[in-house]
């Protein structure tokens, strides 16, 4: 099949910050973008050529996308897989509806990974109260109860010490279908962004070491400070997941590195990912540009890292006493500031990020930490 030529209109389901960065990458190669997002104001909608303000199921909006766009992609995994399925019948779609339907459901995702021989945390399906009355093995405690769908940034999760706490925890999650997972001793967390083209060509971005605070990504350190064997194993597993999923597009695989050195897959995200934002400033090709290239059947770009980098998320908490003083970031000439144009800073809301580029990862980390501290101390 031939490529989608610059100048063409691309469709995007979801108008958040990932969509905004995809739109910028698409526009810089000369494409135009139509965003479908039910929110009147959204980070991608405000910069795209068109914004269809409608529900993701809306038949008129989906018809409009399918007839005016040469290719369609998505920026968040909770987009209804049936919307993607509909679009697949009319235009090029990346990622495929089937992969998205697996990755957007924690239970299906874990079953898929386990069935294909990938190591994951011991898990158990908790679909209803009957599942709670059965005796639950002690290996699951302490554990984490996670909703199967629509959880993100640590939301929809409850930590549990013993089985007697399960009924209350399940009730607090509105008795939605859940996965109970053993709480693991984490040495660190890493992620691999893998890109796979319609022709099966695979490229892997450098591994990020991710630090979370209250379940939300706080910082990504690249390259990850892990032994070479673990890095190699993670790259191999990431490529295998993309192949087994028959994936097309950019995919993120989150891993746990346990204190005993074992490598487990935590979860997969069928889209560019927060832990890959560093690629905008520190790689020859960003994760967003790679998604544009794959969707448009252009050759993939090099994922080579130009310099060590640390990415720090900017959450709404920082806005408590008004707009932060951005000079604290920008006065470091090796720092890059990215703001998503969101109005309404709320605690925990991702408003932007910054990166620091340096000759060594230690220097990047030290400078990023210093900027973080200065932003908090007004
Ligand atoms: P989300 O979809 O919200 O990102 P995750 O399953 O990735 O959900 O969980 C968020 C964070 O919580 C993880 O990055 C990790 O720090 C911690 N976490 C999740 N599951 C476990 C586990 N089984 N053991 C230890 N920590 C966990
Ligand atoms: Mg996660």
């Amino acid at each position: 099949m031939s490529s989608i030529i610059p100048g063409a209109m691309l469709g995007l389901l979801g108008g958040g910050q990932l969509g905004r960065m995809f739109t910028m990458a698409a526009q810089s190669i000369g494409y135009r973008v139509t965003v479908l997002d039910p929110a009147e104001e959204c980070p991608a909608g405000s910069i795209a050529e068109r914004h269809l303000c409608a529900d993701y199921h809306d038949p008129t909006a989906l018809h409009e996308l399918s007839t005016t766009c040469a290719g369609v992609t998505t920026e968040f995994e909770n987009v209804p897989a049936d919307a993607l399925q509909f679009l697949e019948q009319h235009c090029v779609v990346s990622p495929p509806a089937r992969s998205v339907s697996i990755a957007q459901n924690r239970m299906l995702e874990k079953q898929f990974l386990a069935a294909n021989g990938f190591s994951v945390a011991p898990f158990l399906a908790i679909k209803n109260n009957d599942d709670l009355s059965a005796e639950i093995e002690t290996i699951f405690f302490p554990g984490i109860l996670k909703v199967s769908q629509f959880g993100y940034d640590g939301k929809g999760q409850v930590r549990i010490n013993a089985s007697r706490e399960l009924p209350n925890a399940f009730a607090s999650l509105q008795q939605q279908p859940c996965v109970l997972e053993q709480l693991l001793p984490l040495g660190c967390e890493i992620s691999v962004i893998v890109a796979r083209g319609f022709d099966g060509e695979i490229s892997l971005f450098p591994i990020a070491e991710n630090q979370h605070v209250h379940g939300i990504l706080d910082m990504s350190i690249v390259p990850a400070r892990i032994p070479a064997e673990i890095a190699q194993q993670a790259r191999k597993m990431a490529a295998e997941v993309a192949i087994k999923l028959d994936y097309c597009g950019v995919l993120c695989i989150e891993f746990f590195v346990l204190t005993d050195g074992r490598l487990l897959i935590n979860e997969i995200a069928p889209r560019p990912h927060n832990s890959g934002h560093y690629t905008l400033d520190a790689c020859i090709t960003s994760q967003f540009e790679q998604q544009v290239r794959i969707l448009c059947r252009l050759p993939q770009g090099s994922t080579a890292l130009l310099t060590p980098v640390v990415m720090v998320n900017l959450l709404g908490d920082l806005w408590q006493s008004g707009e932060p003083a951005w000079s604290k970031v920008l006065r470091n000439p090796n720092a890059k500031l990215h703001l998503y144009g969101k109005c309404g800073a709320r605690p925990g809301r991702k408003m932007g990020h910054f990166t620091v580029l340096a000759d060594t990862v230690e220097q990047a980390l030290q400078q990023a930490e210093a900027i973080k501290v200065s932003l908090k101390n007004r």
Side-chain angles (χ1 to χ4, degrees), residues 31-298:
Y31 293 99
R32 295 172 301 138
V33 178
T34 299
V35 170
L36 171 60
D37 190 299
E40 247 167 59
E41 275 186 47
C42 57
S46 63
I47 64 159
E49 277 72 12
R50 282 190 77 191
H51 174 197
L52 302 174
C53 185
D55 191 82
Y56 298 116
H57 287 288
D58 187 280
T60 317
L62 290 175
H63 179 259
E64 180 77 14
L65 274 185
S66 72
T67 50
T68 58
C69 298
V72 176
T73 188
T74 162
E75 62 114 35
F76 80 131
E77 65 234 53
N78 289 330
V79 69
D82 49 2
L84 287 177
Q85 250 162 22
F86 166 82
L87 291 165
E88 273 175 353
Q89 292 160 21
H90 302 276
C91 54
V92 179
V93 173
S94 157
R98 181 181 158 269
S99 316
V100 173
S101 67
I102 293 172
Q104 71 186 187
N105 182 308
R106 223 182 263 283
M107 195 65 224
L108 293 182
E109 171 187 86
K110 293 230 186 271
Q111 285 165 346
F112 163 83
L113 292 169
N116 284 288
F118 298 105
S119 304
V120 293
F123 67 96
L124 189 70
I126 305 284
K127 293 189 289 293
N128 50 43
N129 280 317
D130 291 347
D131 291 326
L132 292 182
S133 47
E135 183 139 349
I136 294 176
E137 285 179 77
T138 51
I139 59 150
F140 293 108
F141 304 106
I144 307 186
L145 190 66
K146 303 180 176 179
V147 290
S148 225
Q149 275 194 285
F150 308 120
Y152 69 98
D153 286 347
K155 292 184 182 65
Q157 302 193 2
V158 184
R159 296 211 171 191
I160 292 175
N161 292 307
S163 64
R164 66 186 134 73
E165 296 174 13
L166 260 178
N168 275 343
F170 191 49
S172 76
L173 298 172
Q174 285 76 45
Q175 306 194 333
Q176 297 171 75
C178 284
V179 173
L180 175 63
E181 226 176 273
Q182 186 186 75
L183 186 70
L184 300 162
L186 305 186
C188 71
E189 295 184 63
I190 60 171
S191 59
V192 180
I193 312 266
V194 50
R196 185 166 179 266
F198 287 97
D199 55 0
E201 185 193 342
I202 286 184
S203 60
L204 295 156
F205 284 90
I207 303 182
E209 175 186 338
N210 302 317
Q211 297 182 353
H212 296 81
V213 176
H214 306 305
I216 308 180
L217 182 66
D218 178 47
M219 206 190 276
S220 293
I221 302 161
V222 189
R225 298 163 300 171
I226 50 171
E229 316 81 76
I230 294 186
Q232 190 45 36
Q233 208 184 329
R235 278 191 289 266
K236 188 164 171 275
M237 280 164 84
E240 281 171 1
V241 170
I243 293 167
K244 286 269 158 56
L245 261 184
D246 200 15
Y247 197 82
C248 279
V250 169
L251 173 73
C252 175
I253 320 284
E254 291 181 33
F255 293 89
F256 292 143
V257 182
L258 304 191
T259 44
D260 64 8
R262 275 189 302 144
L263 185 66
L264 265 54
I265 297 185
N266 170 26
E267 59 173 351
I268 57 184
R271 50 171 172 78
H273 192 257
N274 193 171
S275 65
H277 287 359
Y278 77 87
T279 60
L280 279 170
D281 301 320
C283 288
I284 292 184
T285 310
S286 76
Q287 58 170 353
F288 303 103
E289 182 180 337
Q290 202 76 311
Q291 177 63 29
V292 174
R293 286 172 177 247
I294 288 176
L295 177 66
C296 297
R297 296 176 195 259
L298 302 174

Side-chain angles (χ1 to χ4, degrees), residues 289-334:
E289 182 180 337
Q290 202 76 311
Q291 177 63 29
V292 174
R293 286 172 177 247
I294 288 176
L295 177 66
C296 297
R297 296 176 195 259
L298 302 174
Q300 290 183 42
S302 163
T303 56
L305 189 69
L306 298 168
T307 154
V309 57
V310 168
M311 189 274 330
V312 177
N313 266 341
L314 297 165
L315 301 184
D317 313 59
L318 272 180
W319 271 250
Q320 254 156 18
S321 338
E323 187 79 11
W326 296 124
S327 59
K328 291 176 176 178
V329 181
L330 297 169
R331 72 180 164 218
N332 180 328
N334 302 317

Side-chain angles (χ1 to χ4, degrees), residues 342-376:
K342 294 183 184 178
C343 32
R346 291 189 298 276
R349 189 172 193 211
K350 290 174 179 168
M351 302 295 288
H353 69 268
F354 69 85
T355 55
V356 178
L357 312 171
D359 291 338
T360 66
V361 85
E362 291 74 25
Q363 285 167 7
L365 190 53
Q366 195 200 352
Q367 292 175 36
E369 296 276 16
I371 294 173
K372 262 180 88 173
V373 171
S374 72
L375 280 172
K376 278 190 189 139

